[in-house]
Amino acid sequence: ILTPGQLFISCREPFDADEYIERLAWRTPGGGSKGGAEAFDPKRLLEEFENHIEELKHLDEKIQRRVEKLEHQCHREAKEFAHKVQDLQRSNQIKEAADIIQKLHLIAQELPFDRFADVKAKIASKYHDLERQLIQEFTAAQRRGEIGRMQEVAAVLLHFKGYAHCVDVYIKQCQEGAYMRSDVFEDTALLCQRVNKQVGEVFQSPETVMAKLIQNIFENKLQAHVKEKLDETRRSDVEQYLKNLYDLYTRTTALASKLTEFNLGSDKHTFLSKLIKNIFSTYLESYIEMEKDYLRTRSAMILQRYYDSKNHQKRPQGGGSIQELKERIRQRTNLPLGPSIDTHGETFLSQEVVVNLLQETRHAFERCNRLSDPSDLPKNAFSIFLLLVEHLCMDHIDYALEIGLSAIPSADAKNANLYFLDVVQQANTIFHLFDKQFNDHLMPLISSSPKLTECLHKKKEVIEQMEVKLDTGIDRTLNCMVGQMKHILATEQKKTDFRPEDENNVMIQCTAACSKVCVYVSRQVERVRKSMDGKNVDTVLTELGVRFHRLIHEHLQQYSYSSMGGMLAICDVAEYRKSAKDFRVPLVLQLFDTLHALCNLLVVAPDNLKQVCSGEQLTNLDRNLLHAFVQLRVDYRQARLGRHFS
């Protein structure tokens, strides 16, 4: 059995009620008028009719609801369409009214005031009313996000005096809710990116609007932010103030660099530079003086904290007392003008202090590079360098050298502790760090300016001044080493070492004095190697080796030698020669080779003296020197050995 809906669909057009009932009766079992397989059943047919009528009622209600819904939708759409038409008509009347009032306003400017005062006043009033309505309409459209409407109103306002006010309203509203986070620079970048996409659709001169927006942000939001951050630390915490100034200026210039991707007019770089200058000019004018004051105070504090940790009262330098004069003379000469001071092995040089001073100066160079006007950069960088020289080179290194010189004992001191080489070692390390900062951080700031020559001259002057003290200290330290060797020889070497009482009962080996000297020399050579670097090692070891050779040469000439004693002297010189090899200096080894050859004159048979003196190692020596060594033999007079030199 078909449903009422299906039965409706199966009916032909137009709808015929008799046909519809006939079709329903025909499809109902027992409802046919001609009988058939089943006999006619009026009750069943009536029941089917009643059920079908109920279903038709439900279908009618359903269709009625659908009709009402469609009618409501049609009515709403018709109303919306009517509103749009009205809006378009009203929009057009605005444009027409604006065009008319604009022309009237221009004409009114030409009318004489005395005759047309009322007319001019009415036109002006209407002009301002319409202008205000347009700006209100633009504001409402902006709040609704209706870009098209904003563009229409902006185009109408373009010829009105209030167009600039429209732009101001736009700039003010687009910043509302834009600064919700703590990062004003990031918020500004995101805001400008968003607005840049919009201004091209709304305004006919988007570059002007973008420039005005950025100017508004810089002169208000950013300037207030910078002032707040800097003013709160300017007097209370100079270190933090300088860090904040560097950070804010860096972030502002980075933001300006991002903003150059937008169209801001013909000379956007100059435009942005002026905005930055307007914010920071008052702070940058006083920057370098605050930087120098802070660096001076901070460096002095670092040094004082170090000396306090050593319980050391820093000695004044450059005074004029007699005691200080004697001290300076003693430092630069070997005159015994009183005892040296005892530093207990303290060098008064600290790598931690040096690193801290260099770090503070590096930060100052970085800030100077960022915050200085390009024309002032070399001068400012040089002034920072002078402070580094003052505190690192003079107040720390030079002071330590003065103390170190004062602590060097006299050459005749016994068992002297030679700490000056430790000072040399640490000073060399510090020089390398100082030189690295000079090249890495100062040179790039001054390399293309006349200040380069001045900086190089100052650096050379400072280094030469300290090198003089280092050379003086090293010279006096070498004198002490030789003095210690001389003391060992004087106390350990006996005359009988080279003239034994029993020539037949002597062990051929180096003397005890020689062994102790060689041990001492080896230890000092190692200390020099640890304390020096580069060519300085060879230079100092050469000087030490020459003095060592001179000492042994003069020492050997103080004794007379028997035949067996001469053999022992040769053993000693051979041992000294082994120590000379540790120097790794050809000249020193050559000197001891020659000394070894000279000692052969103490044991060679008288008849062979002339032949030995003509040998390769002795032939170029002064004959008087050879004669002097031969005179040391106990048999010199007895064997008439002098005739070989006549």
Side-chain angles (χ1 to χ4, degrees):
I1 298 176
L2 296 178
T3 64
Q6 292 171 332
L7 197 59
F8 266 124
I9 295 171
S10 65
C11 289
R12 291 174 293 181
E13 293 293 338
F15 179 74
D16 187 337
D18 291 338
E19 181 188 357
Y20 179 78
I21 293 172
E22 184 63 31
R23 288 169 66 88
L24 176 60
W26 180 77
R27 292 178 182 276
T28 301
S33 59
K34 297 179 180 180
E38 291 187 39
F40 176 73
D41 188 349
K43 289 184 178 180
R44 190 170 184 181
L45 184 61
L46 176 61
E47 183 181 349
E48 184 63 27
F49 276 179
E50 290 174 346
N51 291 336
H52 203 77
I53 289 169
E54 288 298 320
E55 290 180 5
L56 285 173
K57 287 179 180 179
H58 290 303
L59 180 60
D60 179 64
E61 291 174 358
K62 184 177 180 181
I63 292 173
Q64 189 62 35
R65 285 195 299 270
R66 186 176 180 187
V67 169
E68 290 174 355
K69 182 178 180 181
L70 290 173
E71 286 177 346
H72 179 73
Q73 182 178 348
C74 182
H75 179 72
R76 186 181 69 251
E77 291 179 355
K79 191 174 181 180
E80 290 176 356
F81 180 75
H83 281 306
K84 287 183 179 179
V85 171
Q86 289 175 359
D87 287 342
L88 290 173
Q89 290 175 340
R90 186 168 60 253
S91 173
N92 190 50
Q93 293 169 355
I94 288 173
K95 290 179 182 178
E96 291 175 357
D99 185 54
I100 293 170
I101 200 65
Q102 177 69 21
K103 291 177 180 178
L104 287 173
H105 184 70
L106 292 174
I107 294 171
Q109 303 301 313
E110 305 296 327
L111 296 176
F113 182 79
D114 54 346
R115 293 175 56 191
F116 300 97
D118 291 341
V119 174
K120 290 168 69 82
K122 290 179 181 179
I123 291 174
S125 176
K126 188 62 177 177
Y127 180 91
H128 293 306
D129 287 344
L130 185 58
E131 186 179 64
R132 184 174 62 257
Q133 291 173 15
L134 287 169
I135 292 174
Q136 289 174 350
E137 177 62 23
F138 181 89
T139 303
Q142 185 179 0
R143 293 192 185 280
R144 295 192 301 267
E146 297 177 357
I147 303 299
R149 184 61 179 151
M150 291 168 63
Q151 191 275 333
E152 291 175 359
V153 178
V156 174
L157 275 168
L158 182 62
H159 304 292
F160 281 75
K161 293 180 180 179
Y163 179 74
H165 183 56
C166 173
V167 173
D168 292 340
V169 169
Y170 174 79
I171 289 173
K172 180 181 178 182
Q173 286 199 170
C174 68
Q175 294 182 63
E176 292 178 358
Y179 293 93
M180 303 300 292
R181 293 173 294 182
S182 58
D183 193 335
V184 66
F185 297 98
E186 188 63 27
D187 285 340
T188 297
L190 294 174
L191 170 63
C192 291
Q193 287 175 353
R194 175 172 58 82
V195 172
N196 185 62
K197 296 176 182 177
Q198 193 178 82
V199 291
E201 302 176 11
V202 175
F203 298 98
Q204 293 188 13
S205 300
E207 69 279 2
T208 305
V209 179
M210 277 302 296
K212 199 166 185 179
L213 168 65
I214 290 171
Q215 182 177 354
N216 182 275
I217 293 172
F218 270 69
E219 292 178 351
N220 294 282
K221 202 71 180 179
L222 290 186
Q223 186 154 11
H225 177 71
V226 168
K227 189 175 188 303
E228 179 188 0
K229 288 290 185 182
L230 294 181
D231 287 359
E232 66 183 6
T233 57
R234 190 168 192 171
R235 301 191 183 280
S236 60
D237 188 345
V238 178
E239 179 182 11
Q240 191 59 48
Y241 168 80
L242 291 171
K243 289 180 180 178
N244 288 348
L245 178 58
Y246 176 79
D247 179 65
L248 290 168
Y249 189 82
T250 300
R251 298 201 68 190
T252 304
T253 53
L255 173 62
S257 180
K258 284 183 181 179
L259 298 180
T260 56
E261 69 184 57
F262 305 131
N263 184 7
L264 305 177
S266 58
D267 198 357
K268 53 189 172 185
H269 294 284
T270 302
F271 168 70
L272 290 168
S273 296
K274 286 182 178 178
L275 294 178
I276 295 173
K277 184 177 180 180
N278 290 339
I279 294 176
F280 290 96
S281 59
T282 56
Y283 303 105
L284 297 182
E285 286 172 1
S286 60
Y287 154 69
I288 192 60
E289 292 305 320
M290 293 191 74
E291 183 73 80
K292 290 193 295 184
D293 287 344
Y294 165 72
L295 188 59
R296 190 179 293 110
T297 303
R298 177 67 176 168
S299 299
M301 186 191 74
I302 290 171
L303 289 170
Q304 190 59 49
R305 188 168 59 196
Y306 167 70
Y307 295 122
D308 288 345
S309 72
K310 298 294 182 182
N311 292 320
H312 175 73
Q313 182 65 41
K314 199 172 182 186
R315 303 169 66 194
Q317 292 179 265
S321 68
I322 297 298
Q323 185 61 34
E324 289 172 355
L325 179 60
K326 289 171 64 177
E327 178 62 29
R328 296 179 79 82
I329 294 173
R330 195 185 72 80
Q331 289 174 5
R332 289 159 177 78
T333 66
N334 290 316
L335 298 178
L337 299 177
S340 60
I341 66 171
D342 189 359
T343 63
H344 304 287
E346 179 59 61
T347 64
F348 291 103
L349 285 172
S350 166
Q351 190 157 344
E352 181 183 356
V353 167
V354 173
V355 168
N356 288 337
L357 291 174
L358 291 175
Q359 185 175 358
E360 292 292 345
T361 310
R362 177 172 61 82
H363 291 324
F365 280 135
E366 290 172 353
R367 289 191 291 263
C368 177
N369 186 31
R370 175 68 68 184
L371 301 174
S372 295
D373 186 272
S375 61
D376 295 330
L377 177 57
K379 176 184 67 176
N380 292 348
F382 181 62
S383 65
I384 292 173
F385 171 66
L386 291 180
L387 288 174
L388 177 64
V389 169
E390 176 186 345
H391 293 100
L392 175 61
C393 298
M394 306 312 299
D395 290 349
H396 192 55
I397 304 176
D398 190 72
Y399 177 74
L401 293 179
E402 291 280 354
I403 295 295
L405 285 170
S406 302
I408 298 175
S410 60
D412 57 357
K414 301 174 183 178
N415 301 317
N417 289 316
L418 304 177
Y419 294 120
F420 192 79
L421 288 181
D422 296 331
V423 176
V424 173
Q425 179 183 6
Q426 289 181 268
N428 280 334
T429 301
I430 295 171
F431 279 147
H432 288 307
L433 295 174
F434 171 75
D435 195 54
K436 178 174 173 54
Q437 181 159 94
F438 183 91
N439 293 324
D440 293 350
H441 296 99
L442 177 60
M443 284 295 287
L445 309 185
I446 61 170
S447 58
S448 58
S449 80
K451 282 291 178 183
L452 174 61
T453 303
E454 199 171 347
C455 282
L456 291 173
H457 176 74
K458 184 63 178 179
K459 177 187 173 188
K460 181 172 180 289
E461 178 185 275
V462 169
I463 290 178
E464 286 179 350
Q465 177 181 335
M466 288 189 279
E467 282 180 344
V468 168
K469 294 182 180 180
L470 285 169
D471 290 344
T472 301
I474 291 171
D475 179 69
R476 293 185 61 220
T477 299
L478 295 182
N479 285 341
C480 288
M481 291 179 181
V482 174
Q484 187 67 19
M485 297 180 212
K486 186 182 292 186
H487 174 70
I488 294 172
L489 292 172
T491 55
E492 298 292 335
Q493 197 88 70
K494 300 177 178 58
K495 290 185 178 181
T496 56
D497 286 346
F498 303 117
R499 291 183 68 179
E501 296 178 358
D502 186 356
E503 293 270 336
N504 298 319
N505 189 23
V506 177
M507 293 184 64
I508 306 300
Q509 62 184 19
C510 65
T511 63
C514 171
S515 296
K516 289 187 177 182
V517 168
C518 288
V519 169
Y520 179 80
V521 168
S522 295
R523 192 161 62 243
Q524 302 315 309
V525 169
E526 187 61 28
R527 287 192 68 184
V528 170
R529 290 197 184 280
K530 288 181 179 179
S531 304
M532 310 286 174
D533 58 3
K535 294 181 179 179
N536 293 330
V537 176
D538 291 341
T539 301
V540 174
L541 287 180
T542 299
E543 183 61 29
L544 177 60
V546 169
R547 296 187 190 189
F548 174 37
H549 168 266
R550 185 185 303 124
L551 172 67
I552 300 304
H553 187 278
E554 293 173 354
H555 172 72
L556 291 174
Q557 289 182 311
Q558 297 176 11
Y559 300 90
S560 58
Y561 300 86
S562 65
S563 177
M564 186 57 66
M567 293 296 295
L568 294 173
I570 290 175
C571 287
D572 277 4
V573 173
E575 196 65 22
Y576 292 136
R577 186 173 173 276
K578 286 182 183 178
S579 293
K581 286 183 178 180
D582 293 339
F583 286 73
R584 303 174 200 166
V585 177
L587 173 61
V588 175
L589 187 59
Q590 181 184 345
L591 289 173
F592 277 93
D593 284 342
T594 302
L595 183 58
H596 190 271
L598 280 171
C599 287
N600 286 330
L601 297 177
L602 301 175
V603 296
V604 72
D607 294 338
N608 294 333
L609 271 175
K610 198 165 187 177
Q611 179 183 352
V612 173
C613 289
S614 302
E616 180 181 352
Q617 290 182 310
L618 300 179
T619 187
N620 294 324
L621 296 182
D622 187 270
R623 302 289 288 179
N624 293 330
L625 176 61
L626 300 177
H627 191 195
F629 253 81
V630 173
Q631 286 179 316
L632 300 176
R633 294 171 57 136
V634 295
D635 62 351
Y636 174 76
R637 294 185 182 280
Q638 180 183 354
R640 299 176 60 204
L641 299 181
R643 58 191 172 84
H644 295 287
F645 296 92
S646 58

